[in-house]
Amino acid sequence: MTKTARRFSSLLQAATAALAIMCAVALTAPVQAQTFTVLYTFTNTADGEQPDAGLIQDAAGNLYGTTQYGGTKGGFGTVFQLNTAGKEKVLRSFAGTPDAEDPYAGVIRDNAGNFYGTTLFGGTQGGFGTVFELHSNGGKTILHSFAGTPDGEDPRSVLVRDAAGNLYGTTQYGGTNGGFGTIFKLDPAGKLTLLHSFAGTPDGEDPYAGLLRDKLGNLYGTTQYGGTGGGFGTVFKLDAAGKLTLLHSFSGTPDGENPLAGLLRDGAGNLYGTTKYGGTGGGYGTVFKLSAKGKLILLYSFTGTPDGENPYARLIRDASGNLYGTTFYGGASGYGTVFKLDTAGKLTSLHSFNSAPDGANPIGGLILDQAGNLYGTTSDGGDLSCGFSGCGTVFKITP
């Protein structure tokens, strides 16, 4: 599928969902007690288009992220910096195959200022995606090009890096068990080790999100499909010896369906996450907690309007235990939300997107600074003259 066709299909779904909500209900905006600011609006192919991933922030307050499309080398995506004055700088424009193409996930950064990330497509092994390093001096190295079988295909996940410099991630497809996706490790010498190939049932299928790594080297993650509950997705643990344990299989209703996001883990070993569908509120998605003993607790079921619909992104948690996240659809106007879920299970809508000028359809997660400010991106909206329905935004919410 071409870039134009992929993007048109995504935006058609967003427009259809928003129209359905607006036709069905009266629009009422929740009371806002905070300030929402658009820090940057993507306006053309040169600066980037469709930031699908979350951001990272350095000690000076600069933000870094990716756009899946745009750039100056054919529209195959970018890595960008947004400084504290709101000035955007493209650090790298991808050039497609054999370089790299379509960075869906965000980047991570080491202490020397080097960035690491993945691209969905591109590379030298048939266009099945890459792992790349963007050096602090501006140079770039393709660390690995995926070949589909046996190593994996289409990595959508943000990477995890350990103290020795090893990188860990997932591929949505490929592997050695029917193409249901993989977990991989890439060492500093560029050697890729296949840690697990998913088989669909019972272990899971299509790991969409990145991994979480604990101090013992155990990896935790989700798969969008598969498992033992009807194929609605899983939560898994892969220990340091390479043994995969299924922690939970989703069943649709009431516990949730199709987890696209990665996990959050607290000091007691409890895991927190979201599912795109399912729950008890009409199937619009959930927020869940999986205890260290393996008991799943449904913290919240979305209802579409006004609270939100289809959470894609990983949650974050503040020092008081409050959870923050985004929904792709829903809210007062149908273009997605930013929400807070407190420890009593009360959900507060911090912002409902309106497409213009604030943005639409946030896919990426949030980050929280020491002052309590939230930062994120929207994949669409902003300047509606850009692309099909806007090229996306970077935003800040101040408490």
Side-chain angles (χ1 to χ4, degrees), residues 91-232:
L91 302 179
R92 188 74 185 189
S93 288
F94 293 102
T97 302
D99 175 34
E101 178 178 347
D102 292 6
Y104 182 85
V107 291
I108 60 173
R109 189 169 183 256
D110 66 18
N111 292 332
N114 303 302
F115 297 92
Y116 304 87
T118 60
T119 64
L120 266 175
F121 309 115
T124 60
Q125 298 295 319
F128 293 113
T130 72
V131 178
F132 68 86
E133 177 181 357
L134 184 61
H135 308 291
S136 57
N137 62 7
K140 179 185 63 60
T141 301
I142 299 295
L143 301 177
H144 185 77
S145 290
F146 289 96
T149 302
D151 58 345
E153 177 180 347
D154 296 356
R156 289 183 179 269
S157 70
V158 68
L159 298 168
V160 175
R161 187 171 182 267
D162 67 19
N166 299 300
L167 299 170
Y168 302 84
T170 63
T171 65
Q172 188 176 1
Y173 307 119
T176 60
N177 281 328
F180 294 114
T182 72
I183 303 172
F184 66 85
K185 170 185 173 180
L186 188 66
D187 70 19
K191 179 184 176 182
L192 186 134
T193 302
L194 198 63
L195 300 179
H196 187 77
S197 283
F198 289 95
T201 302
D203 60 344
E205 176 181 346
D206 293 4
Y208 199 91
L211 301 164
L212 172 71
R213 187 173 184 272
D214 68 17
K215 294 179 180 180
L216 299 177
N218 301 304
L219 299 170
Y220 302 84
T222 60
T223 65
Q224 183 178 184
Y225 303 115
T228 60
F232 294 113

Side-chain angles (χ1 to χ4, degrees), residues 279-295:
T280 59
Y284 295 111
T286 72
V287 178
F288 67 85
K289 172 183 176 180
L290 188 62
S291 75
K293 295 182 178 180
K295 180 182 178 181

Side-chain angles (χ1 to χ4, degrees), residues 76-107:
F76 295 110
T78 72
V79 178
F80 69 86
Q81 177 198 70
L82 185 66
N83 69 18
T84 55
K87 182 180 179 181
E88 194 243 20
K89 177 182 179 182
V90 174
L91 302 179
R92 188 74 185 189
S93 288
F94 293 102
T97 302
D99 175 34
E101 178 178 347
D102 292 6
Y104 182 85
V107 291

Side-chain angles (χ1 to χ4, degrees), residues 239-334:
D239 67 22
K243 179 185 176 181
L244 188 135
T245 302
L246 201 62
L247 300 180
H248 185 76
S249 286
F250 291 96
S251 58
T253 303
D255 60 342
E257 178 179 344
N258 305 140
L260 297 183
L263 300 166
L264 168 72
R265 188 170 185 263
D266 66 19
N270 302 302
L271 299 170
Y272 301 83
T274 62
T275 65
K276 182 181 179 183
Y277 300 120
T280 59
Y284 295 111
T286 72
V287 178
F288 67 85
K289 172 183 176 180
L290 188 62
S291 75
K293 295 182 178 180
K295 180 182 178 181
L296 188 132
I297 302 165
L298 195 63
L299 299 180
Y300 192 80
S301 287
F302 290 96
T303 60
T305 301
D307 57 345
E309 177 180 346
N310 304 147
Y312 278 55
R314 186 195 300 261
L315 300 165
I316 60 172
R317 187 170 180 261
D318 67 19
S320 300
N322 301 302
L323 300 171
Y324 300 85
T326 60
T327 65
F328 188 72
Y329 296 130
S333 299

